[in-house]
Amino acid sequence: MRHNKKFNHLGRTASHRNAMLANMAISLIMHKRITTTVAKAKALKKYVEPLITKAKEDSTNSRRVVFSYLQNKEAIKELFSAVSEKVGDRPGGYTRIIKLGTRQGDAAQVCFIELVDFDPEMAKDTKKKSTRRSRKSAPKAEAAAPAEAAAKEETKEEAPVVEEAQAEAPAEEAAPAAEEAKAE
């Protein structure tokens, strides 16, 4: 029985699993987003979030502790500089898992795992917090907005046409007057 055996072994030995998670954590820190299977992403989340929490305090001891897990100087520099600045005020939840579907070859569930504060598209979406009430009223407002925009476009298109006609009329009137003046 598997009582109190909480983490996924991912079908690997302990050393292989630790090496794989360290490599994935380095890739996540350096690239801010990686694509992997859902099971590996969940295991990586449990592995990397305590390291990011440790990186919030920039001390020699915390750098040594994190280095003992990652063994990569460039990743440590990135983690303690750019990543720790972005997540300094966040109490936890530094990563996000977005499911993508299944992989073609073996039908494994695939997902993105990314650092939360580094995705510009999601940052734009999170600023627009919506409630049920605003979602129900939004389609009505959106339906009215294109109608108003279309009406404005029609008036804009008509206005230049009228101005062009007025601009051409004085020129046509001036042309015969100029010809008459030349004839005299």
Side-chain angles (χ1 to χ4, degrees), residues 145-163:
E148 291 173 9
K152 287 180 183 178
E153 287 177 12
E154 290 174 8
T155 58
K156 287 180 183 177
E157 290 175 4
E158 292 173 9
V161 172
V162 172
E163 292 173 359

Side-chain angles (χ1 to χ4, degrees), residues 114-125:
E114 62 186 2
L115 296 175
V116 171
D117 294 326
F118 287 92
D119 189 18
E121 289 105 27
M122 286 290 187
K124 291 176 189 173
D125 293 342

Side-chain angles (χ1 to χ4, degrees), residues 7-13 16-28 34-49 95-99 103 106 108-114:
F7 68 91
N8 190 347
H9 295 278
L10 300 172
R12 289 163 171 82
T13 62
H16 185 186
R17 182 177 184 278
N18 289 334
M20 183 193 65
L21 290 174
N23 287 331
M24 289 175 68
I26 291 166
S27 297
L28 180 64
I34 59 173
T35 305
T36 184
T37 62
V38 174
K40 287 181 187 175
K42 287 179 180 178
L44 178 61
K45 187 172 191 162
K46 287 182 180 179
Y47 185 86
V48 78
E49 289 207 2
T95 58
R96 174 188 301 126
I97 296 174
I98 300 171
K99 294 181 181 177
R103 195 161 48 197
D106 59 354
Q109 297 241 330
V110 182
C111 67
F112 279 139
I113 182 168
E114 62 186 2

